[in-house]
Amino acid sequence: MRSPVLLGVVAVLAVGGCGGDKKPAPGWSLRSAATAHLRALGRIGDRNRNTRAAGTPGYAASVDYVADRLRAAGYRVTLQDVPFPVFRDRTPPVLQAGGKRIPVLTLRYSGPGRATAPVALVGLACSPAELRRARGRIAIAARGRCPFRAKARNAEEAGASGLVVADPRSALPVGGSLIRPGLDIPAVSAGAGALKLTGRARLAVDTVAENRHTRNVIAEQPGRPRRVAMVGAHLDSVREGPGINDNGSGVAVTLALAERLRNQRGLRFGFWGAEELGLYGSRRYVASLSAAERRRISGYLNLDMLGSPNAVRYLYGAGRVRTALIKALRARKLRYETISIGGSSDHAPFAEAGMSAAGLYSGSEERKTAREAREFGGRAGRPLDPCYHQRCDVLNRVDRDVMTELGEAAGQALRELSG
C-alpha cells in the first residue's frame, strides 16, 4: 500500500447474527491456505534479495507463482502488460550541515539537483503560509498530515531550492514517494535529527527515470456471465523489503479465496503490478476496459494489508461493495472502523471510473490511539505495522488471526456480490 492519507475515522461496533458461508471442503481453512501462500511469497523474497518490487526477478517469480496456482484451480489466466516509470539514484543522495553528513533517502520521483543554502524549518509544509521563508533555502519539513508530494509542490512553488522531509518519530529516514514525475527540486527524507538543523546545508540528488514493463495477473472461470464481481490485491512490494503484510497478506487471501470459490461463477480476481509506484497496474486495467465491460463489473473489493501486528480493522469505500462488507463484518460480530484512505490503494481507479469499490485494511504507519487499543487490543502509541515498507515485513510479523477474520468477511461479501 502507498502511504495513506486518512481523511476521517468513525468508530463502529459491529453486531449481528451468524454468517451465511457455504462450508469449505473438509480439512480446508482460509488461514492455512493463506499462510501457505505467505510462506511461498516469503521464500520468493528470500531468493531475490529480499524484495518483490515491480521490475525485479522477485516480482516475476511472484507472478509465476500466482498464475500457476490459479491455472491449477481451473481459471483462465491473463497476464496484462503494464508500463511504468522506473526511478533510481545514480549516486547516493547527500545532505551535509555543520560539517556532518545526515543519513537521507531520495523521495521517489524527486528531481535531480544540487543546492547549498540556508535551511528553513517550515512545519508540516502542508500550506503555502508555512513556507513563507523558504525562497532560496533548503526547506526542512516534518512528516505527517499531508502527502510527500503536497509538501514538495508547496516547497517548489514557494521557491525553495530543495526539500528535506524529516520523520519526528524515527532516527533514520523512511522511504517515500512523490507519486509521479513532474516536481523538479531535489527532495529527500531524513530522521528526526534534521528538524534541529540550523545555518547552511548542502543537498545533492542525482537521479534518473526510465520506462519499464511489469504485469498484472487476471483470472476468471471460462464462460461469460452477464455480471462479475471482482476482488483484487497488489502483488508488488517496495524495494526495501519482501512485503509479506504489504501486500502478501492481501495476495494470499485473494488467492485462497480463488481456490475456495473455484466453482462459483461470476467472479474475477486481479493481482496488480506497480501499485507501490503509483497504482500503475490497476489504472492500466481499468483504462483497458470498454464502457460495456466496466458496466459488467458489479463491484470491486480491494484487499491491502490485512495482517498488521498492531491492527485495527478498517473499512473504506462506498456503494454496494461497502454494504456487503458491513453485512459480513456484522455477521461475524467483528468490531471495525470506517475510514477514508483517499487514493492510497487499488480501489481508487475503479471508484474514479464510476464503479462501486471498497476494501479492508488493518493499518500501516498510523499510531494506535488509546481508544483503539481499548476496542481492538494492542498497544496505544505504537504504529499499526512497525515494519511497513521495511526489510522486517516478514511472515512472523503478520497477525494471521486478523488476516483470517478480514479474509472470511471478504469471502462472504464476494459471494453476495456475485449472487
Side-chain angles (χ1 to χ4, degrees):
M1 173 175 267
R2 293 162 56 222
S3 182
V5 181
L6 301 182
L7 302 181
V9 180
V10 179
V12 181
L13 176 61
V15 296
C18 296
D21 287 358
K22 297 178 181 178
K23 291 184 178 180
W28 190 97
S29 75
L30 187 142
R31 180 190 174 97
S32 61
T35 298
H37 297 318
L38 286 177
R39 288 197 178 100
L41 294 172
R43 288 192 294 270
I44 289 171
D46 291 342
R47 293 193 295 264
N48 290 279
R49 299 185 178 183
N50 209 43
T51 186
R52 300 184 303 101
T56 68
Y59 184 77
S62 299
V63 167
D64 290 343
Y65 174 77
V66 168
D68 288 347
R69 294 303 300 249
L70 290 165
R71 292 188 184 104
Y75 287 94
R76 182 178 66 241
V77 175
T78 301
L79 302 181
Q80 182 182 40
D81 181 71
V82 178
F84 70 100
V86 170
F87 175 88
R88 61 182 175 87
D89 290 303
R90 280 191 285 221
T91 58
V94 173
L95 177 63
Q96 286 183 317
K100 295 182 179 180
R101 186 161 175 165
I102 293 92
V104 293
L105 294 173
T106 305
L107 291 175
R108 189 175 295 275
Y109 303 122
S110 162
R114 298 173 180 271
T116 300
V119 302
L121 299 179
V122 295
L124 290 165
C126 294
S127 67
E130 293 177 289
L131 289 121
R132 290 190 301 268
R133 298 177 52 251
R135 180 169 296 280
R137 296 171 178 255
I138 297 172
I140 312 289
R143 186 181 184 189
R145 200 176 79 192
C146 65
F148 290 119
R149 184 175 179 83
K151 297 176 191 290
R153 183 179 63 244
N154 289 338
E156 185 174 70
E157 291 176 352
S161 57
L163 173 68
V164 178
V165 181
D167 189 330
R169 296 187 176 95
S170 174
L172 295 175
V174 177
S177 176
L178 304 182
I179 308 304
R180 56 186 179 275
L183 296 169
D184 295 329
I185 62 172
V188 298
S189 68
L195 294 171
K196 300 178 182 179
L197 294 180
T198 59
R200 294 177 68 83
R202 181 172 76 90
L203 175 63
V205 173
D206 182 16
T207 61
V208 64
E210 58 190 19
N211 290 319
R212 291 188 184 176
H213 291 259
T214 189
R215 294 182 295 177
N216 291 330
V217 183
I218 314 297
E220 195 169 359
Q221 290 290 358
R224 185 178 170 82
R226 187 178 66 85
R227 299 274 279 171
V228 294
M230 193 163 186
V231 59
H234 75 83
L235 185 52
D236 61 318
S237 73
V238 294
R239 282 190 173 268
E240 291 78 10
I244 303 305
N245 186 36
D246 183 17
N247 182 38
S249 60
V251 168
V253 167
T254 302
L255 189 52
L257 289 175
E259 293 170 331
R260 181 181 192 174
L261 302 174
R262 68 183 71 187
N263 296 320
Q264 183 157 338
R265 288 173 54 81
L267 296 177
R268 186 180 297 166
F269 300 84
F271 301 83
W272 312 119
E275 186 267 2
E276 296 288 2
L277 303 179
L279 311 183
Y280 286 100
S282 54
R283 290 193 186 282
R284 170 74 175 88
Y285 176 75
V286 172
S288 74
L289 298 173
S290 67
E293 283 297 319
R294 292 182 184 185
R295 287 194 294 271
R296 283 188 65 219
I297 297 175
S298 60
Y300 172 74
L301 198 168
N302 194 57
L303 299 177
D304 195 350
M305 297 190 69
L306 301 185
S308 300
N310 195 27
V312 173
R313 298 184 205 93
Y314 286 130
L315 164 69
Y316 57 89
R320 65 191 306 260
V321 181
R322 180 180 183 275
T323 300
L325 285 169
I326 289 174
K327 181 178 178 180
L329 290 164
R330 287 178 172 172
R332 286 165 170 73
K333 300 182 180 180
L334 293 175
R335 189 183 295 272
Y336 67 94
E337 291 191 356
T338 60
I339 62 169
S340 172
I341 61 170
S344 298
S345 193
D346 291 302
H347 67 293
F350 291 86
E352 291 164 4
M355 289 174 267
S356 172
L360 298 171
Y361 168 54
S362 61
S364 57
E365 60 189 344
E366 310 92 343
R367 291 185 177 262
K368 180 167 281 187
T369 66
R371 177 188 58 78
E372 289 170 337
R374 289 193 300 270
E375 295 181 358
F376 296 94
R379 297 182 63 181
R382 298 291 301 275
L384 303 186
D385 185 352
C387 288
Y388 171 66
H389 283 188
Q390 297 181 54
R391 188 177 181 87
C392 59
D393 184 3
V394 295
L395 178 60
N396 65 7
R397 305 287 301 190
V398 176
D399 186 327
R400 281 170 269 177
D401 291 335
V402 173
M403 179 187 72
T404 302
E405 290 169 348
L406 294 177
E408 291 285 6
Q412 180 180 332
L414 192 60
R415 284 188 288 273
E416 179 174 328
L417 291 165
S418 66

